[in-house]
Amino acid sequence: MDALDDGDDVPQLPANTLRLLDEFATEKNTAAQKFKDLKLQSEGDFDGRLSMEVFSEDWGRVLRMNVRFVYYDLEHPLQLPAELKNKFDRIICDPPFLSDDCQTKTALTVRYLAKSWTAENGTSDGLRFISCTGERVGEIIARLYGKVGVKTTTFEPEHSKGLSNEFRCYANFECSAWTWRGA
């Protein structure tokens, strides 16, 4: 006899819960498609029409790559699949905390993922790197990413929730959307 034929009711979620789950799935699918479109755009020239609205706010510990997700624990920044080591030439990061510890651990992960870690004529050899984080951690950003030519740009990220911290965009390349600050 089938377990479902024993006369017991099959548990079901309430309709409003199912609706919320459906909305959540739709939002995640939309964000995944935007991310996929952004990846395709990044393979061409960056035209500066990028906003943080493309990315969903996720205070969890997830490393986003392409369309798949890989569990990432900030406390163990190098515990990543070996097949990801030295595979990426485009990295965008937004570290979750404005502390030296968080910035250092993020940099360890970036270095693990990056194809190269050398600078050549003010830009790195193939790596295009962006970090949007607080202005107050600018000195440690300069120390951690100086070898790949990261500098403060003129682009000023704004948080949609209106956080009071001043944010900066640090990158190792210039484009039509920004130049080097103070240049």
Side-chain angles (χ1 to χ4, degrees):
M1 176 178 236
D2 187 17
L4 295 177
D5 292 337
D6 64 4
D8 290 336
D9 288 334
V10 176
Q12 293 185 1
L13 293 173
N16 62 341
T17 302
L18 289 172
R19 181 182 49 76
L20 289 172
L21 285 172
D22 186 51
E23 288 176 13
F24 176 78
T26 299
E27 287 176 13
K28 285 295 186 183
N29 289 338
T30 300
Q33 183 60 48
K34 286 181 180 179
F35 193 75
K36 187 176 182 179
D37 293 345
L38 178 61
K39 178 187 178 287
L40 291 173
Q41 179 185 358
S42 72
E43 292 171 354
D45 287 332
F46 180 76
D47 67 4
R49 291 179 289 164
L50 175 65
S51 80
M52 289 307 292
E53 297 299 319
V54 171
F55 303 97
S56 62
E57 192 70 45
D58 183 357
W59 295 97
R61 296 176 176 173
V62 175
L63 178 64
R64 297 172 191 234
M65 293 174 293
N66 295 335
V67 180
R68 63 188 194 73
F69 291 91
V70 172
Y71 179 76
Y72 173 71
D73 186 343
L74 184 63
E75 296 304 316
H76 305 282
L78 300 177
Q79 288 184 0
L80 294 165
E83 63 268 14
L84 299 179
K85 187 173 184 177
N86 305 122
K87 296 294 181 191
F88 298 89
D89 57 9
R90 305 287 190 268
I91 298 176
I92 301 172
C93 68
D94 180 7
F97 306 108
L98 301 179
S99 68
D100 288 0
D101 181 61
C102 177
Q103 300 296 326
T104 301
K105 288 176 178 174
T106 300
L108 285 170
T109 303
V110 169
R111 187 163 184 170
Y112 180 89
L113 297 171
K115 280 185 181 178
S116 65
W117 200 256
T118 58
E120 183 180 315
N121 298 327
T123 63
S124 66
D125 185 25
L127 174 67
R128 285 201 171 209
F129 174 76
I130 301 171
S131 180
C132 292
T133 190
E135 177 269 337
R136 74 180 201 191
V137 293
E139 286 183 27
I140 193 162
I141 293 292
R143 285 194 309 266
L144 294 170
Y145 301 102
K147 190 169 182 181
V148 292
V150 169
K151 299 177 187 174
T152 308
T153 71
T154 56
F155 181 78
E156 294 186 11
E158 294 178 9
H159 198 283
S160 64
K161 305 277 190 276
L163 294 180
S164 60
N165 297 315
E166 287 193 39
F167 285 85
R168 295 289 184 260
C169 177
Y170 304 92
N172 67 343
F173 63 96
E174 292 182 291
C175 64
S176 62
W178 64 66
T179 59
W180 304 127
R181 187 174 288 272

